[in-house]
Amino acid sequence: MSDTQAKGDNLRTDGNRLWDSLMEMAKIGETEKGGVCRLALTDLDRESRDLFSRWCEDAGCSITVDKMGNIFARRPGKNNDLPPIMTGSHLDSQPTGGKYDGVYGVLAGLEVVRTLNDLNIETEAPIEVAVWTNEEGSRFAPAMVASGVFAGVFDLDYGLSRADLDGKTMGEELERIGYAGDQDVGGREVGAYFEAHIEQGPILENEDKTIGVVTGAQGQRWYEVTLTGQEAHAGPTPMHSRKDALVGAARMVGEVNRIGLENQPNACATVGLMQVTPNSRNVIPGSVFFCIDFRHPKDEVLSGMDAELRKVCADIAADIGLEMDFEEIWYSPPVAFDEACVSAVRSACEGGNIGHMDIVSGAGHDACYLSRVAPTAMIFTPCLNGISHNEIESAEPEHLEAGCNVLLQAMIERANAIQ
Ligand code: HGY
Ligand code: MN
Ligand code: MN
């Protein structure tokens, strides 16, 4: 490795190799509309984990798996007693997810390893590429639960006991797919954590910037609500005597939306999952289960939204005569990332003459929990029309390559590889 080559600014990853890996991984769980359905701990998730692990072993990494199924591909450094410089993201997807959400961060990490190999760069500290289990929070709630256990936010029993709507637990499913690892979860030092991810919103595209220097992420609150009224015949039952659980849920959905709109700019309020029982066209719904997702960058606003939601839901349930089980199942406060890591990302953009801007993440990421146990920052790249959590999710190869180059620079700087 010549002296000039060892200088950080001109190091480049192989964008074509990264793109080919993304397209290869996208075949696992691919959907007709060009997206992926690879729910956490399904056989397809196992297939993607196996492929990633094989690629990393081919690149000379050792693989460890912890008790939450988190995978760590480790590339040794000169001094392996140093805490690793870590990157990574997730391989699980939404039911109608895209090819890049999560996968990009995992394969950008692999591309960094492959590039370091190509250039014979030996970093001072070891490098690790992580795959975090169940980041999406789609099959199992809450989201980012496995990185949360790694960061000590949740205990292991809580994590393993998370169950899907069919009652299958994460622990059972980890065993079934062969990813119930033997390593303790977390409790070890991480020198720094960087996560590359598509923005999943329209800001970078609207501002015509290639990289988002992510300074933090907004807070989230998730709720599960079960309304119980009375099933009855849709014909003979007079309107005024009904206890219609779906009417109650519909009014509450309207209030969720109103609370979101009244806390602009920035508030987000969504009901994405609803189950109606018995879900028959001529039976008054006796029971409805639905989930609420609230977000805001300011904790105090999020608390205000929370208080208002609890009141309006109680009022609606009382008005219709419904029983209501209202549970807040998850609270993840707003996060500010580490100044030194954020500036490592920013200077990597400046060094590479890459258009960039500071941005706060609207989505949650495993980096939010890693930031509790390690200096952390994220690197965003644009996605077409800001659309994500949708099979049409799309990204430009050159943007993904630029993000990977920034990741390489930031990791090398922190791994103080340049002698
Ligand atoms: O919900 C989120 O923000 C992430 O996609 N888990
Ligand atoms: Mn993601
Ligand atoms: Mn996602």
Side-chain angles (χ1 to χ4, degrees):
M1 162 56 66
S2 72
D3 222 15
T4 45
Q5 272 184 319
K7 289 284 162 281
D9 289 353
N10 64 359
L11 297 185
R12 289 286 177 273
T13 56
D14 181 336
N16 292 330
R17 181 171 57 189
L18 171 61
W19 184 259
D20 292 347
S21 303
L22 281 163
M23 294 306 114
E24 188 62 28
M25 186 62 84
K27 290 176 186 163
I28 302 175
E30 67 180 330
T31 60
E32 267 170 34
K33 292 187 202 162
V36 292
C37 175
R38 208 170 41 224
L39 293 180
L41 304 186
T42 56
D43 292 344
L44 289 169
D45 187 13
R46 167 179 47 199
E47 224 181 295
S48 66
R49 288 161 167 261
D50 292 349
L51 179 59
F52 168 74
S53 302
R54 202 165 53 247
W55 279 342
C56 289
E57 284 166 340
D58 293 348
C61 294
S62 58
I63 299 288
T64 53
V65 181
D66 72 15
K67 292 171 183 167
M68 280 301 298
N70 298 317
I71 302 171
F72 302 95
R74 184 178 173 96
R75 180 180 192 265
K78 276 199 197 107
N79 178 354
N80 292 303
D81 297 332
L82 289 174
I85 304 302
M86 195 184 275
T87 186
S89 192
H90 61 95
L91 291 174
D92 66 305
S93 80
Q94 289 289 336
T96 52
K99 293 200 256 299
Y100 309 97
D101 176 2
V103 190
Y104 169 53
V106 171
L107 297 182
L110 171 60
E111 179 51 35
V112 164
V113 166
R114 286 169 166 168
T115 301
L116 293 172
N117 291 347
D118 292 347
L119 300 176
N120 285 321
I121 291 181
E122 194 183 15
T123 54
E124 197 60 33
I127 298 283
E128 288 191 11
V129 185
V131 172
W132 303 105
T133 301
N134 190 57
E135 186 280 343
E136 288 294 359
S138 176
R139 183 180 176 195
F140 303 98
M144 295 102 82
V145 65
S147 52
V149 177
F150 185 90
V153 175
F154 308 115
D155 65 32
L156 180 61
D157 289 347
Y158 171 85
L160 294 175
S161 65
R162 299 304 85 210
D164 66 10
L165 293 177
D166 300 326
K168 288 193 186 127
T169 67
M170 288 188 74
E172 290 160 354
E173 288 295 277
L174 281 167
E175 288 292 344
R176 187 182 67 79
I177 69 167
Y179 274 91
D182 53 7
Q183 300 283 313
D184 287 341
V185 188
R188 65 186 175 103
E189 223 192 320
V190 175
Y193 178 76
F194 293 95
E195 182 166 350
H197 206 290
I198 54 169
E199 177 203 337
Q200 301 181 293
I203 297 170
L204 291 178
E205 198 176 53
N206 294 344
E207 301 298 326
D208 194 20
K209 296 287 186 227
T210 304
I211 298 292
V213 180
V214 189
T215 56
Q218 61 181 346
Q220 300 186 205
R221 285 180 185 267
W222 279 12
Y223 307 85
E224 288 183 351
V225 183
T226 303
L227 300 175
T228 308
Q230 185 170 56
E231 286 175 24
H233 197 302
T237 312
M239 290 301 283
H240 64 270
S241 65
R242 295 179 175 205
K243 292 188 187 322
D244 187 326
L246 185 52
V247 168
R251 284 173 58 181
M252 290 177 192
V253 171
E255 287 300 288
V256 163
N257 193 52
R258 177 187 61 77
I259 293 169
L261 292 173
E262 288 181 2
N263 285 279
Q264 291 306 306
N266 303 117
C268 293
T270 314
V271 173
L273 187 158
M274 184 175 282
Q275 288 177 328
V276 181
T277 306
N279 213 27
S280 167
R281 65 194 75 224
N282 51 359
V283 176
I284 299 166
S287 165
V288 172
F289 168 79
F290 66 99
C291 301
I292 301 166
D293 177 326
F294 266 0
R295 306 196 190 198
H296 199 281
K298 289 203 180 87
D299 217 16
E300 61 280 10
V301 176
L302 200 53
S303 310
M305 290 167 69
D306 171 74
E308 189 166 356
L309 177 71
R310 292 170 188 275
K311 180 173 176 332
V312 294
C313 287
D315 291 351
I316 290 167
D319 182 45
I320 300 176
L322 302 175
E323 258 175 64
M324 178 173 75
D325 178 38
F326 180 101
E327 191 189 354
E328 179 177 8
I329 64 157
W330 185 41
Y331 164 55
S332 173
V335 167
F337 289 139
D338 172 79
E339 265 307 308
C341 286
V342 171
S343 56
V345 171
R346 201 178 287 121
S347 51
C349 295
E350 285 153 3
N353 251 331
I354 303 170
H356 60 281
M357 62 180 283
D358 286 8
I359 191 170
V360 172
S361 176
H365 298 285
D366 294 304
C368 297
Y369 280 143
L370 267 288
S371 69
R372 304 214 186 173
V373 292
T376 294
M378 290 189 76
I379 298 156
F380 273 179
T381 57
C383 53
L384 189 62
N385 302 322
I387 297 287
S388 179
H389 284 193
N390 184 318
E391 294 161 279
I392 64 167
E393 180 184 277
S394 178
E396 294 298 323
E398 51 276 8
H399 289 158
L400 300 179
E401 179 176 359
C404 196
N405 286 333
V406 170
L407 178 65
L408 174 71
Q409 307 290 341
M411 289 184 73
I412 284 183
E413 184 197 301
R414 292 294 291 206
N416 47 55
I418 311 299
Q419 301 306 329

